[in-house]
Amino acid sequence: MAGNITFTMIKPDAVKGGHIGSILKMICDAGFSIKAMKFTKLSAEKAGEFYAIHKERPFYAELVAFMSSGPIVAAILAKENAVTDFRTLIGATNPAQAAPGTIRALYATNVGENAIHGSDSDENAKIESDFHFAGTERF
Ligand code: DAT
Ligand code: MG
């Protein structure tokens, strides 16, 4: 059975653009509830660790620099089929290919600066949630 949590970050471009409120409204209107949330900033080291799976990709250095360039909103979200439904809500990685009305279609700048993160599997949702939040920060 599909898990019921996913992990998200509103990325530095969307925070700088003033889109936190609009994005959180879309997330809540889509039926997700908030289990944990923080406004924080990743160090380059932490961003590198979070995206370690992409270490060999040509865009890795750019990705780490971008994700540590300003504050983010990190959150754990709950809903049935959370991972799949959230990926549908955020849209494709490249906003040029994201379906109309998705968060990335509305707020992403380009494929690198794409407004929001969503976990890609139940296993990674747990790993990413544990990376950012202690047990005492979850409700
Ligand atoms: P997603 O965030 O949709 O899961 P991903 O896991 O393949 O996409 O990549 C992680 C992030 O890396 C992505 O949100 C933005 C960046 N990225 C991916 N492909 C890229 C590319 N071709 N050029 C620049 N940045 C890229
Ligand atoms: Mg991914």
Side-chain angles (χ1 to χ4, degrees):
M1 201 189 122
N4 71 344
I5 67 145
T6 192
F7 172 77
T8 188
M9 294 182 283
I10 300 177
K11 296 186 179 182
D13 60 325
V15 172
K16 285 193 186 98
H19 303 307
I20 294 175
S22 306
I23 291 173
L24 289 179
K25 178 164 176 21
M26 286 180 73
I27 291 170
C28 294
D29 286 351
F32 292 88
S33 62
I34 295 164
K35 308 293 287 181
M37 179 170 281
K38 64 174 86 165
F39 188 54
T40 186
K41 187 169 181 286
L42 296 174
S43 63
E45 191 187 356
K46 275 285 198 189
E49 219 182 304
F50 184 86
Y51 283 110
I53 193 159
H54 296 302
K55 221 178 183 114
E56 307 308 323
R57 310 281 284 277
F59 55 81
Y60 178 70
E62 189 188 328
L63 175 61
V64 169
F66 166 60
M67 287 304 295
S68 57
S69 69
I72 61 162
V73 175
I76 302 172
L77 305 172
K79 183 184 186 295
E80 239 180 84
N81 300 314
V83 166
T84 309
D85 287 0
F86 196 70
R87 296 290 304 199
T88 302
L89 180 67
I90 71 177
T93 307
N94 185 345
Q97 284 149 20
T102 58
I103 293 174
R104 281 169 165 167
L106 289 166
Y107 299 115
T109 312
N110 56 53
V111 68
E113 305 197 356
N114 60 3
I116 191 156
H117 169 83
S119 306
D120 63 6
S121 65
D122 291 341
E123 187 193 0
N124 284 333
K126 183 181 181 333
I127 291 169
E128 294 173 357
S129 296
D130 292 348
F131 183 88
H132 285 269
F133 291 98
T136 51
E137 298 175 303
R138 301 177 191 201
F139 306 96

